[in-house]
Amino acid sequence: MDKNPDMVDGESTATQPSATESLRPMFRPRSVAVVGVSRDSNHIGSRVLDAILQSKFPGPIYPVNPKAETIAGIKSYPSVAAIPEPVDLAVIAVPAAAVLDVVDDCARRGVRALIVISAGFAEVGPEGKGLQDQLLAKVRGYGMRMLGPNCLGLLSTDPAGPLNASFVRVAPPVGNVAMSSDSGALGLAVLAGASRLGLGISACVSVGNRADVSSNDLLEYWEHDERTGVILLYLESFGNPDRFARIARRVGRRKPIVAVKAGRTTAGQRAAGSHTAALATSDVAVEALFHQTGIIRAETLAELFDLAASLSSQPLPAGNRVALLTNAGGPAILCADACEAGGLNLPVLSEKTANRLASFLPAAASRTNPVDMIASAGPAQFRQAIATLLTSGEIDALIVIQVEIGTSGTGDFDSALVAGVNEARQVGATARPVLFCRMPETATRNVQASASETIPCYAFPEAAARVLARMTEYAAWRGRPAGKIPALDHADIDTAREVCRRALAARGNGWLTAEESRMVLSAMKLPVAAGGVARTANEASHLALELGFPVAVKLASTKLVHKTEIGGVRLNLADEAAVGHAFDEIRERLARDGKLDAMEGVLVQPMLADGTEVMVGAKRDSVFGALLAFGLGGIHVEILGDVCFRVAPLTDRDAADMIRCIRGFRLLEGYRGHPPADLPALEDLLLRVSRLVESVPEIAEIDLNPVFALTPGRGCRIVDARLFVGSRPS
């Protein structure tokens, strides 16, 4: 389906009601019809009916089967339209060819929401895609909302109206974690895992082909759902990244979003594409998008569960100071290493706190940080140490590591853990998360501290450290002011766009000439270094004289990109004769190589004597739009690969973060006599490039390398620029 400004991710923004209102009949229906129920208990429709019954749904349930009067002891109806009472939700499990007629039937009864379990649509190829388009058109025309097709269904644990409208009988604990899954099988795995680990679920949805309801809609619904505090996503592809980014950035300010994105590798992308019939996307763009929107990325399903356990039950840390409390030194060392690798700080405890610990710990215990109580420490000392550390005011989080050594039962240490945490909570230490690690792994289980708090338990200390690091990073993101897309003074987007369109019309896909590139960049008030293009040796010499010596002379060509490899760059030319000679040498070299027709002339520029070389780039992704890059420039970008990526449009916060996230930022700050760079000028450059590539869709790629970042107050200068217009070959 073609997209237009009023059609985003399959949702008409001009006419669709809010997700909260439109999805309520799906999550909180007053009555449910199941279409395609059979007397065969193994039939999908029958399994759906059984799951709804087992979930104790409180409203009327209507089986639909034209050949049966009763099913599972419940009166059956030949069609949805024949049901005498209103129906909010219909679950459809009939062959794909029959689904359209069922939708018409549902419309006659006034059904407001559909869950189409049936497969055989876009996932099977072009014919199925055509059928899915017809289905979506009907659903839209009737003003319904639809989950699926080709989905597992929906589960909600709302005590006021529990509903398992799926064909899987799983009963996870009630909790505050909601999940959207692009894969039905993964959704099932999460439900089974949640049941096994005791992770409380508010809802779990398999979105299937996402013809109508998508993860974006679910994010908006759960944003306002009081029962949901943490949102989990399993994503194989993105329908509309722009809308996803806007929603996720907003929702993430209130509720943590944890995502597993499949398809990081080429093989994984092929598998994701074949499974969803959707384009697999660049993982660099995914990583950038998640960073900008505050989404916490889980590398594995195990990490997804680990993160959900803490985020759903513990407060976010106010800072990165963490204390480790243990009865065994080795695991604490591993945990300390993992904490520091994740950006956490293990501060040395004050003398006051150390003395308090010394008053009850064994004499041989370590009272620094980690606090090693040694193996002889018992539950009572665990309790006192936990309360002491949490109330010290010197830490933001606590990781407790207990290795079973047989001196006391796990129940005694559980009680000590609960007592110590509750004691600290009662005197005001409510904003400091506590994570627990018990070894060996077979002893792992979460600990209920109170009616409102569960202490998550991890099998290995490194897992607890990684989770706390991710929580801390997310808390810092949420605590920062939201970025803004600033207005840019004097940017002439119309001129930049016209230059690109004329070049594309005249020559088709390809690189702009040096003159065209300078015109585009100048229109955006980007700091292009002084200079110009000369087509003869005399022109080059005269231009150099006007600019002042020394100068650089570089080949100007839309066909030969890597100028240094063919001798097309000459630096530090001190007089007119040297400039003319350089022009002639470049021309002769191209003539020998049979490439003279690729020469447009030479670019003559004054040499810059100081500054730090950086690079700024942009590349248009077929799914995500423009992807911006920033790093150290010149040859460093290829050798070191020290580059930070973000997805356009950039906010002022994004631009500042891009510069500061590279490992070479210390050089830009000023390092060992190396002068600092003009950081505001670099931020402005990034924002202008972002606006340019976002506003001029003809631009497929921008490469500004090197850009000389001058000292504070002197700005920066773009020395070399390449712009590609049209479709860029992948």
Side-chain angles (χ1 to χ4, degrees):
M1 181 174 58
D2 292 335
K3 293 181 180 178
N4 57 61
D6 291 328
M7 186 66 69
V8 182
D9 203 25
E11 176 183 345
S12 173
T13 57
T15 58
Q16 279 295 110
S18 71
T20 301
E21 293 300 321
S22 66
L23 296 186
R24 184 168 283 116
M26 194 172 289
F27 280 94
R28 298 180 181 178
R30 291 166 296 183
S31 57
V32 180
V34 183
V35 186
V37 183
S38 168
R39 291 192 179 94
D40 180 358
S41 60
N42 292 319
H43 189 273
I44 293 294
S46 301
R47 290 165 62 183
V48 171
L49 177 63
D50 182 60
I52 294 174
L53 293 170
Q54 293 296 323
S55 67
K56 309 297 183 184
F57 176 71
I61 304 169
Y62 304 108
V64 175
N65 184 322
K67 299 179 181 179
E69 294 186 1
T70 62
I71 294 179
I74 306 173
K75 178 177 174 54
S76 178
Y77 294 87
S79 66
V80 176
I83 298 172
E85 303 296 331
V87 176
D88 281 343
L89 171 66
V91 185
I92 301 174
V94 300
V99 170
L100 297 183
D101 289 340
V102 172
V103 172
D104 290 334
D105 184 44
C106 289
R108 286 189 285 271
R109 179 63 278 176
V111 174
R112 301 163 63 195
L114 306 173
I115 297 177
V116 181
I117 305 289
S118 311
F121 292 89
E123 79 280 1
V124 300
E127 185 175 344
K129 177 63 166 61
L131 185 61
Q132 182 170 301
D133 289 344
Q134 295 178 55
L135 171 62
L136 180 61
K138 278 186 177 291
V139 169
R140 291 293 190 209
Y142 290 134
M144 300 172 174
R145 296 307 308 267
M146 175 180 68
L147 183 64
N150 183 37
C151 71
L152 185 74
L154 174 151
L155 180 144
S156 170
T157 63
D158 188 347
L163 174 66
N164 183 1
S166 75
F167 56 87
V168 178
R169 286 183 57 180
V170 180
V174 177
N176 67 346
V177 177
M179 179 167 189
S180 166
S181 176
D182 280 3
S183 164
L186 262 295
L188 173 60
V190 168
L191 289 174
S195 300
R196 184 178 68 257
L197 299 174
L199 180 65
I201 298 294
S202 63
C204 185
V205 179
S206 161
V207 293
N209 291 2
R210 300 181 304 182
D212 178 32
V213 174
S214 68
S215 298
N216 292 344
D217 297 300
L218 296 172
L219 281 174
E220 288 193 306
Y221 180 83
W222 287 325
E223 176 184 11
H224 302 289
D225 179 25
E226 294 181 356
R227 297 183 56 250
T228 296
V230 179
I231 300 170
L232 309 182
L233 303 175
Y234 171 75
L235 301 169
E236 291 179 351
S237 63
F238 290 85
N240 187 293
D242 286 343
R243 181 171 176 246
F244 176 84
R246 290 195 303 271
I247 296 170
R249 199 189 299 259
R250 184 184 73 239
V251 176
R253 292 282 170 184
R254 298 180 54 195
K255 301 178 180 183
I257 303 170
V258 186
V260 173
K261 171 62 180 69
R264 301 196 78 152
T265 64
T266 302
Q269 290 172 0
R270 287 198 305 268
S274 62
H275 182 63
T276 64
L279 180 65
T281 54
S282 163
D283 194 64
V284 170
V286 172
E287 193 70 36
L289 185 69
F290 284 3
H291 184 95
Q292 288 170 262
T293 55
I295 291 176
I296 306 168
R297 185 167 194 173
E299 304 295 334
T300 64
L301 287 178
E303 192 171 62
L304 184 80
F305 282 119
D306 286 347
L307 286 161
S310 284
L311 288 166
S312 65
S313 62
Q314 290 294 310
L316 292 174
N320 72 340
R321 302 172 303 167
V322 57
L324 307 184
L325 176 66
T326 183
N327 65 343
I333 295 171
L334 294 173
C335 190
D337 288 344
C339 284
E340 293 207 357
L344 300 176
N345 175 35
L346 275 69
V348 176
L349 300 175
S350 68
E351 184 178 355
K352 176 183 177 181
T353 299
N355 288 337
R356 287 181 63 192
L357 292 169
S359 68
F360 57 82
L361 289 180
S366 169
R367 299 179 296 278
T368 55
N369 187 15
V371 177
D372 184 357
M373 301 186 300
I374 71 173
S376 61
Q381 290 156 313
F382 246 70
R383 177 190 63 77
Q384 288 177 280
I386 290 167
T388 298
L389 291 170
L390 285 174
T391 57
S392 68
E394 300 171 23
I395 63 169
D396 301 302
L398 174 65
I399 297 177
V400 179
I401 305 170
Q402 185 230 336
V403 178
E404 289 193 348
I405 54 176
T407 56
S408 297
T410 58
D412 293 334
F413 279 101
D414 284 358
S415 298
L417 175 65
V418 168
V421 170
N422 286 337
E423 181 181 330
R425 300 296 194 223
Q426 290 167 8
V427 296
T430 57
R432 299 182 184 111
V434 178
L435 281 66
F436 186 34
C437 170
R438 175 183 280 130
M439 303 176 74
E441 182 181 1
T442 53
T444 302
R445 65 174 180 276
N446 295 337
V447 179
Q448 195 70 39
S450 66
S452 59
E453 181 176 5
T454 299
I455 300 171
C457 185
Y458 298 96
F460 300 105
E462 301 95 329
R466 284 194 295 268
V467 167
L468 183 58
R470 297 292 184 86
M471 291 175 67
T472 303
E473 184 179 355
Y474 167 69
W477 175 85
R478 200 160 88 167
R480 293 196 299 263
K484 298 179 180 179
I485 300 177
L488 300 177
D489 296 336
H490 311 301
D492 185 357
I493 294 172
D494 290 340
T495 295
R497 185 184 297 117
E498 183 59 27
V499 172
C500 294
R501 287 178 176 173
R502 284 202 307 264
L504 192 57
R507 301 189 302 273
N509 298 345
W511 297 100
L512 295 184
T513 66
E515 288 178 310
E516 289 167 339
S517 295
R518 292 173 67 84
M519 290 173 62
V520 170
L521 299 179
S522 297
M524 293 300 296
K525 294 300 182 287
L526 283 159
V528 183
V533 176
R535 289 173 174 78
T536 67
N538 284 336
E539 285 183 16
S541 297
H542 288 309
L543 183 55
L545 185 62
E546 293 176 6
L547 293 170
F549 296 101
V551 298
V553 171
K554 306 174 186 178
L555 171 67
S557 174
T558 60
K559 299 177 181 178
L560 303 175
V561 176
H562 300 292
K563 296 181 284 291
T564 56
E565 296 177 5
I566 56 173
V569 177
R570 306 300 170 90
L571 305 176
N572 289 305
L573 303 179
D575 53 42
E576 293 176 80
V579 171
H581 185 61
F583 183 98
D584 291 337
E585 285 188 329
I586 293 173
R587 192 175 189 281
E588 290 168 6
R589 169 67 183 270
L590 293 175
R592 287 198 306 269
D593 294 345
K595 298 177 180 178
L596 187 58
D597 61 339
M599 183 176 181
E600 303 161 19
V602 295
L603 176 63
V604 184
Q605 296 174 311
M607 290 294 299
L608 291 175
D610 59 356
T612 304
E613 291 187 35
V614 300
M615 64 79 62
V616 173
K619 184 177 181 181
R620 194 169 300 282
D621 184 273
S622 59
V623 174
F624 288 88
L627 186 65
L628 279 293
F630 176 83
L632 294 181
I635 62 173
H636 298 92
V637 66
E638 297 178 1
I639 295 175
L640 301 178
D642 186 15
V643 181
C644 180
F645 295 92
R646 295 290 183 267
V647 177
L650 297 184
T651 66
D652 52 0
R653 173 67 63 184
D654 294 330
D657 285 348
M658 285 185 76
I659 295 169
R660 288 157 180 80
C661 79
I662 64 171
R663 295 187 298 276
F665 176 64
R666 294 176 66 186
L667 195 63
L668 300 176
E669 286 184 298
Y671 183 72
R672 292 190 177 181
H674 191 284
D678 192 332
L679 301 182
L682 291 177
E683 292 170 13
D684 183 71
L685 185 150
L686 282 166
L687 290 168
R688 288 180 185 274
V689 172
S690 172
R691 181 67 60 83
L692 172 62
V693 73
E694 184 190 13
S695 303
V696 184
E698 290 80 6
I699 297 176
E701 186 174 332
I702 298 176
D703 184 19
L704 310 180
N705 183 26
V707 176
F708 277 82
L710 306 178
T711 52
R714 296 176 58 207
C716 56
R717 299 290 183 273
I718 300 169
V719 175
D720 201 355
R722 294 186 294 143
L723 282 74
F724 192 99
V725 294
S727 300
R728 186 77 168 102
S730 57

